[in-house]
Amino acid sequence: MLRYLPLKLGRLYRCLKLLLVVGLFVILLMNTHNLFASFQKNELTDRRFINLNKCPACFGTSWCRKFMNGQVSFETWGRLRFLDIFNVKNVYFAQYGEPREGTRRVVLKRLGSNQELAEIDQKICKRATGRPRCDLIQAMYKTEFARINGDVRLLTPEVVEGWSDLVHCPSQRLLDRVVRRYAETKDSGSFLLKNLKDTERMQLLMTLAFNPEPLVLQSFPSDEGWPFAKYLGACGRVVAVNYVGEELWSFYNAPWEKRVDLARQLMDIAEQLTNNDFEFALYLLDVSFDNFAVGPRDGKVIVVDAENVLVADKRLIKQNKPENYDVWYESRFEECDREACLSFSKDSLCSRVTVDHNYYAVCQNLLSRYATWRGTTGGLLHDPPAHIAKDGQLDALLDECTKPKKRYGRFQAAKELREYLTQLAAASVSATAR
């Protein structure tokens, strides 16, 4: 009987594929009128579609003129609304055009699923009226987002602490940086809240509470060398960022030399976000192949999902000296039956000066044999050439970086792994040149 099981499973799989194709065909037939309408109309000029009608319960308005003028339009598949059921994250590719500069690809984000966006509306209404439905605009003026008004000089830690990962343990220096670099105001450059309009303050605070990714991109911009996508602007509840390139997962089976270079860059990102001259440690709490992309021209790796980034102010930690602040913090490896899972303590990340979290996250979820994604295991550095596999140094460093056997072993392994990958990358370049 067991010998027939693969045959039955194969037939079941083919049946499911056939049902899916038939289902999509039926959906197409049912939406024929909408299909043609979708190609004829630029929905990004519709105030309701981009939720501009919900402002100031939105993410900003700096790009609204570009949206309303039709300078931003969905690419082909993004225009088909019935495909939204597969686009749970509400991320779209679009074309943005300037008369003298031509068009370029951008990425549009709603910063949450439809359910998450509906839940934020309900929360605003409940806080203001006690009911899940209400006039959202009027309700915003009765929430904590409005109570921090023009009379409040600074955005202070005790007001927003714990609202999101970005401000799980905020310092005044971090919040001043967030306000000063806020891009959804014409008068950016000041850390004083009173210089923002009432609507701008509410939009900033809502973004900080719901999904602070735009504020991370603004506060730590790519123009200054931070490894994040460039923030462009927002209109309503749609945010625009520059298109970086294909996701890291697309390079899982790339030539070995390419994967070595990408791995080296990932370890460099882990180092930069952990140790930098600004003494801000940016800890990546959600690390997966989908959250990084690779530039098509320069091959540069960039973080493209910065929602779950915890920022700790090392300068403040040194100043306040909490218990064990100068004891090195080692992230604990834990077996997991899910993809891209990490073990960490936010409170520990916020109270220690020396932390190995970013090295651990990159090694475990992207590089090592423990990395699992879309049903595949082995990590980005799977199947090395025979001479490297025989040498055993790479596997040993990856294992120690992921699941250290020595105390503080991950710190040394991460350092040596960066150096080793740099050597391998340089050797590949030399071999190619010859």
Side-chain angles (χ1 to χ4, degrees):
M1 179 178 179
L2 288 176
R3 72 175 62 179
Y4 294 110
L5 190 58
L7 292 174
K8 291 181 179 179
L9 289 175
R11 289 171 185 168
L12 178 61
Y13 176 69
R14 288 193 293 272
C15 288
L16 288 174
K17 281 180 64 176
L18 179 62
L19 285 173
L20 179 62
V21 171
V22 171
L24 285 173
F25 181 70
V26 171
I27 292 173
L28 276 171
L29 289 177
M30 294 173 65
N31 289 271
T32 303
H33 176 73
N34 294 334
L35 189 64
F36 289 111
S38 295
F39 280 103
Q40 293 173 345
K41 179 183 178 183
N42 184 356
E43 291 179 293
L44 293 175
T45 62
D46 185 338
R47 295 171 61 91
R48 288 190 171 275
F49 181 79
I50 58 178
N51 292 150
L52 182 57
N53 60 309
K54 294 189 176 184
C55 288
C58 66
F59 306 127
T61 57
S62 64
W63 257 42
C64 283
R65 180 173 293 181
K66 301 180 190 298
F67 275 78
M68 295 300 109
N69 287 345
Q71 290 175 258
V72 188
S73 58
F74 283 128
E75 292 186 351
T76 306
W77 296 110
R79 297 182 184 185
L80 305 178
R81 295 279 65 81
F82 70 88
L83 292 179
D84 286 347
I85 59 174
F86 303 108
N87 188 8
V88 179
K89 291 185 176 181
N90 279 326
V91 177
Y92 305 89
F93 295 112
Q95 290 291 321
Y96 162 62
E98 284 285 355
R100 296 180 181 179
E101 299 177 6
T103 60
R104 61 187 170 106
R105 200 179 203 188
V106 297
V107 178
L108 305 181
K109 299 183 175 186
R110 289 191 185 272
L111 299 182
S113 65
N114 292 337
Q115 182 179 345
E116 289 169 334
L117 290 164
E119 286 174 356
I120 195 67
D121 289 349
Q122 292 177 8
K123 287 179 182 177
I124 291 171
C125 287
K126 285 182 178 179
R127 288 173 184 175
T129 67
R131 300 188 304 274
R133 293 185 180 182
C134 67
D135 184 318
L136 199 62
I137 297 175
Q138 290 185 9
M140 276 292 286
Y141 287 89
K142 298 177 183 179
T143 65
E144 67 269 36
F145 302 139
R147 283 194 286 272
I148 305 174
N149 55 36
D151 297 330
V152 179
R153 185 170 178 271
L154 298 174
L155 184 62
T156 55
E158 59 269 18
V159 173
V160 298
E161 183 176 356
W163 279 18
S164 59
D165 288 333
L166 174 61
V167 289
H168 185 79
C169 51
S171 65
Q172 190 60 57
R173 187 166 71 102
L174 172 63
L175 295 180
D176 288 348
R177 185 183 182 96
V178 169
V179 175
R180 186 171 63 250
R181 292 166 177 254
Y182 185 52
E184 292 301 320
T185 174
K186 294 180 180 179
D187 300 318
S188 59
S190 172
F191 60 85
L192 298 176
L193 271 182
K194 66 180 182 180
N195 290 340
L196 298 179
K197 297 176 182 177
D198 289 343
T199 54
E200 292 170 346
R201 273 193 300 276
M202 286 189 276
Q203 289 164 5
L204 185 156
L205 294 170
M206 179 180 157
T207 305
L208 190 62
F210 178 66
N211 184 333
E213 179 178 1
L215 302 178
V216 174
L217 305 187
Q218 294 165 35
S219 301
F220 302 94
S222 59
D223 294 344
E224 296 178 9
W226 295 96
F228 297 111
K230 183 176 182 179
Y231 180 82
L232 299 175
C235 186
R237 288 187 174 177
V238 177
V239 165
V241 300
N242 73 311
Y243 171 73
V244 173
E246 291 187 57
E247 62 184 27
L248 182 63
W249 178 249
S250 301
F251 297 85
Y252 184 80
N253 289 315
W256 171 252
E257 294 77 14
K258 180 65 176 178
R259 289 185 282 130
V260 165
D261 178 61
L262 297 178
R264 176 190 59 80
Q265 291 189 59
L266 288 165
M267 290 302 294
D268 286 346
I269 288 173
E271 174 64 23
Q272 179 188 5
L273 296 183
T274 304
N275 299 304
N276 52 71
D277 294 338
F278 300 95
E279 294 192 273
F280 283 118
L282 285 71
Y283 298 117
L284 303 174
L285 305 185
D286 182 9
V287 175
S288 71
F289 282 90
D290 280 357
N291 292 346
F292 296 82
V294 181
R297 295 181 182 176
D298 57 9
K300 190 174 181 181
V301 179
I302 295 293
V303 181
V304 292
D305 188 338
E307 176 182 358
N308 302 111
V309 175
L310 185 151
V311 180
D313 190 336
K314 290 188 176 184
R315 196 176 297 176
L316 183 65
I317 296 172
K318 293 174 185 177
Q319 178 183 318
N320 291 346
K321 299 181 178 179
E323 184 179 0
N324 295 325
Y325 81 99
D326 55 351
V327 177
W328 290 14
Y329 175 72
E330 292 183 285
S331 300
R332 198 168 118 198
F333 172 84
E334 289 186 4
E335 296 283 356
C336 180
D337 58 358
R338 294 182 294 109
E339 293 182 332
C341 57
L342 293 171
S343 170
F344 54 83
S345 163
K346 291 183 182 180
D347 292 340
S348 295
L349 299 180
C350 287
S351 59
R352 304 289 184 92
V353 174
T354 307
V355 177
D356 67 359
H357 172 81
N358 285 334
Y359 313 131
Y360 154 68
V362 168
C363 284
Q364 173 170 303
N365 283 4
L366 300 178
L367 304 184
S368 74
R369 59 192 174 93
Y370 297 98
T372 60
W373 190 246
R374 298 184 184 178
T376 303
T377 59
L380 190 64
L381 294 174
H382 64 88
D383 300 319
H387 68 282
I388 293 176
K390 184 177 180 181
D391 175 73
Q393 185 177 358
L394 179 61
D395 279 345
L397 289 173
L398 287 172
D399 281 351
E400 189 66 13
C401 184
T402 304
K403 191 178 181 180
K405 297 175 182 176
K406 305 173 186 175
R407 189 181 186 192
Y408 304 136
R410 185 179 286 119
F411 291 96
Q412 184 62 29
K415 179 177 179 295
E416 292 181 15
L417 181 59
R418 287 180 66 212
E419 294 171 353
Y420 185 64
L421 291 171
T422 301
Q423 292 171 11
L424 290 179
S428 297
V429 172
S430 299
T432 302
R434 287 198 298 269

